[in-house]
């Protein structure tokens, strides 16, 4: 009996939080492989806040996923069949923007076999060496341009992007303050990731804590969250501050219009540079970012955590972990067995 | 009898709109002139939206004017007495940040005698060749970096800054759409200043009008106003758009916190560069900007209007013209007679 593919299909646009029935797991025969393509079997599926944007019919940075189409997404996959000269079965690739499917037929030209780095687990390609690591690297280094001695605040600091931002900023000689949603995350930030301070926004007064931990104001706000926390941070920005605008996760499930920050006028008074960015814009520069991050990883200067859920069937139900702040580090669905190291 | 000075003193911080009694016109003897100083008599006082910021005890870009101190401001003045080698009586200078006073003693080192340009009235130094012209020039050219064929929207378009922004953008080959508050202003924008279109926000649906006049979206939003109009513009920004944040005049008289734009998330989705700026940051580069603007002026490529009120005693009462949208072009108080040309 021929093996079947499994894909999550978008059946209806979620209203507010993603609910059962918005997506459906469907089995279908494998599609024939064309010349130039490789068939991949997904090992790790990346779950990211931006997945939720793609399900809504909003004016996002990519068109929304069509109703009846497989959910957009990607991760690490193993080549199982190849009609492309540059890749062979057993190669591990980053699929880029594919779908929430066990098997995918992908153009080989867009893929590279990932090198294995000594002492670095394969999951690093889902974190520091993957899209979230590149988001942190380019957002901080290319937009914010940190200088030694500056104060950097990062929200969703224990998340896949935030935890990298803070550690890269520390390597640059900055004072780093993270905002996260549990004492456990805050401990990880200061004890493992080397942050100077961490603020639990669920139990602390964020404004007062920022005043305490940022006595010289805030030079860089790496924004992942939006909402009231962002408002508090913007109100404390220094002259000529920079604000890479990476995400607004607090608003992605909103069903009503969300006001911008009440401290908006401070962007004028403080002459702040705010720059929205999406990591795909940096795709041509990924090799540069991966090389630098890989070096720091091998030097032990970057720690990372993964939050691994098992089984493609659990992908939609696990996405909420991001919005409820349950994950520490990169949220990944292990779809099939990774290769032996 | 010795001549007396006249100065507007800040007596109390205005709540909302500036009211009678907030400032008081006081006479006092002239102060003795020190070595290195010049005594100037004010000819033209500049009235600008930012004056209102300086009266409030808010976290602005400069400390607020102290209660009991002369109101901050400046304009064109004539040197009437000099203890500084580089300046002589009769020279015309731009005072920079001085006060709302008939006479001022100023350090000569910070001043330059302004050259008279053929065919260009002295008031050009209050507009295209003054702080508002430099605001337009550097905000547009240095931050927004317009490219031919792009669409530029400017709010408060018939004001001193906005009218320059639009004309400079036209020189750069852009499509320019201005937003202003009367049919008379809109006519001036399209018929005299060469804008491609103008929107009367008091009588038109701004969103629909933007859709009509910006069929290819908006590449540059030169923001002077804030509030609901800004919200409509941000919602229509293109990918990789730029937004020099120059002013938020709609909020300066607010007595309650003002929400930021509901379209804030579009700054992320469209990868917008937003940059707050204050023209004083560009002071070292003024010669470059003045040279370029003077050339365009002499070539007849830049038109400008002045709205001249007479008498220092009318300064506070005239400031409201800016907030009520009554002025077309640069609002100036003529404090004493200008020299014969």
């Amino acid at each position: 009996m021929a093996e079947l593919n499994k894909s999550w299909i978008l059946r209806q646009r979620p209203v507010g939080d993603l609910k059962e029935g918005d997506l459906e797991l469907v089995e279908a025969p494998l599609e024939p492989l064309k010349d130039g393509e490789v068939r991949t079997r997904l090992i790790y599926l990346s779950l990211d806040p931006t997945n939720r944007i793609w399900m809504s019919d909003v004016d996002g940075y990519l068109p929304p996923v069509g109703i009846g189409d497989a959910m957009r997404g990607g991760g690490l996959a193993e080549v199982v069949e190849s009609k492309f000269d540059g890749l062979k079965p057993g190669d591990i690739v980053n699929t880029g923007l594919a779908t929430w499917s066990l098997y995918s037929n992908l153009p080989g030209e867009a893929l590279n076999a990932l090198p294995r780095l000594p002492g670095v687990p394969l999951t690093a390609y889902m974190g520091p060496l993957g899209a979230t690591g590149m988001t942190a690297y380019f957002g901080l280094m290319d937009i914010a341009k940190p200088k030694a001695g500056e104060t950097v605040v990062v929200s969703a600091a224990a998340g896949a992007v935030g935890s990298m931002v803070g550690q890269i900023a520390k390597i640059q000689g900055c004072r780093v303050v993270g905002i996260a949603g549990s004492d456990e995350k805050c401990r990880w930030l200061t004890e493992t990731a080397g942050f100077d301070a961490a603020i639990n926004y669920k139990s602390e007064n964020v404004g007062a804590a920022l005043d305490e931990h940022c006595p010289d104001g805030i030079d860089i706000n790496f924004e992942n969250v939006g909402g009231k926390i962002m408002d508090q941070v913007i109100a404390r920005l220094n002259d000529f501050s920079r604000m890479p605008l990476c995400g607004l996760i607090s608003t992605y499930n909103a069903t009503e219009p969300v006001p911008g920050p009440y401290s908006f006028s401070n962007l004028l008074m403080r002459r702040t540079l705010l720059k929205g960015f999406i990591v795909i814009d940096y795709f041509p520069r990924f090799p540069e970012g991966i090389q630098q991050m890989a070096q720091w990883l091998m030097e032990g200067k970057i720690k990372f955590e993964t939050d691994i859920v098992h089984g493609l069937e659990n992908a939609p139900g696990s996405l909420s972990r991001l919005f409820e702040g349950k994950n520490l580090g990169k949220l990944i669905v292990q779809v099939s067995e990774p290769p032996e190291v």
Side-chain angles (χ1 to χ4, degrees), chain A:
Chain A
M1 202 179 84
E3 196 170 2
L4 290 174
N5 198 2
K6 288 189 218 175
S7 290
W8 279 103
I9 306 295
L10 186 64
R11 287 296 179 210
Q12 60 194 12
R13 304 218 172 273
V15 177
D17 297 339
L18 181 65
K19 292 185 193 64
E20 228 180 295
D22 294 335
L23 292 157
E24 185 190 1
L25 190 60
V26 168
E27 291 190 331
L30 298 183
E31 300 210 2
L33 199 63
K34 295 178 196 149
D35 281 344
E37 288 186 338
V38 296
R39 191 187 309 283
T40 62
R41 183 176 57 223
L42 195 56
I43 301 168
Y44 295 124
L45 171 66
S46 181
L47 292 185
D48 300 279
T50 196
N51 298 154
R52 180 62 187 81
I53 300 177
W54 298 338
M55 296 180 197
S56 292
D57 191 13
V58 295
D59 193 15
Y61 60 95
L62 287 175
V65 175
I67 300 294
D69 290 349
M71 176 60 199
R72 185 186 293 142
L76 292 192
E78 184 173 353
V79 174
V80 292
E81 191 183 344
S82 178
K83 291 191 172 181
F84 175 73
D85 278 350
L87 291 167
K88 59 182 188 307
D91 283 346
I92 305 295
V93 297
N94 186 326
T95 65
L97 289 181
T99 59
W100 287 15
S101 302
L102 178 57
Y103 291 99
S104 296
N105 295 358
L106 301 172
E109 226 173 44
L111 306 175
N112 294 297
L114 298 175
R116 299 303 303 270
L117 302 173
V120 176
L122 195 59
T123 49
Y125 284 110
M126 298 291 288
L129 306 181
T132 51
M134 294 302 96
T135 302
Y137 181 82
F138 288 107
L140 186 69
M141 299 300 285
D142 193 65
I143 296 174
K145 295 185 170 57
K147 292 190 279 283
E150 289 191 320
T151 297
V152 177
V153 169
V154 55
S155 52
V161 173
S163 59
M164 293 300 121
V165 168
Q167 293 181 82
I168 299 169
K170 284 304 299 176
I171 293 171
Q172 304 304 312
C174 297
R175 174 174 181 76
V176 177
V177 177
I179 305 175
S182 75
D183 289 344
E184 181 202 355
K185 290 179 180 180
C186 287
R187 263 196 310 277
W188 183 84
L189 290 173
T190 52
E191 292 176 10
T192 302
F195 283 46
D196 296 284
I199 299 169
N200 180 345
Y201 72 88
K202 290 191 179 164
S203 64
E204 295 183 65
N205 176 320
V206 173
L210 286 169
D211 286 339
E212 179 190 343
H213 296 304
C214 308
D216 301 323
I218 298 167
D219 300 296
I220 294 171
N221 173 35
F222 195 105
E223 185 58 52
N224 291 315
V225 171
K228 287 177 186 172
I229 295 173
M230 175 173 74
D231 226 331
Q232 295 288 332
V233 177
I234 292 178
R236 288 162 178 81
L237 290 175
N238 286 336
D239 282 354
F240 308 107
S241 44
R242 287 85 70 200
M243 178 168 159
L245 179 58
C246 174
L248 292 165
I249 189 173
S250 70
T251 70
Y252 296 165
N253 288 316
T255 54
E256 298 288 329
V258 179
Y262 283 76
S263 52
F264 187 82
S265 66
N266 215 35
L267 300 174
L268 167 57
M269 300 303 171
R270 303 278 73 80
R271 292 86 130 173
T272 302
L273 171 91
L274 177 154
K275 176 79 176 72
F277 76 107
I278 307 285
V279 71
I280 54 178
D281 303 333
Y282 285 99
F283 189 71
R285 291 179 58 189
F286 270 26
E288 162 196 345
I290 291 172
Q291 187 178 14
Q292 178 60 79
M293 291 292 280
Q295 188 187 324
W296 287 331
L297 261 177
M298 289 187 288
E299 290 170 359
K301 291 181 179 167
I302 297 266
K303 311 278 190 247
F304 73 100
E305 295 284 331
T306 48
D307 179 350
I308 299 185
V309 177
H310 289 265
L312 184 61
E313 65 277 15
N314 292 316
S318 303
L319 193 65
S320 63
R321 293 178 69 77
L322 296 165
F323 294 90
E324 292 162 4
K326 288 192 176 155
N327 60 304
L328 196 168
K330 182 72 192 92
L331 180 59
I332 297 171
V333 180
Q334 184 175 318
V335 175
S336 55
E337 277 301 305
E340 307 259 324
V341 181

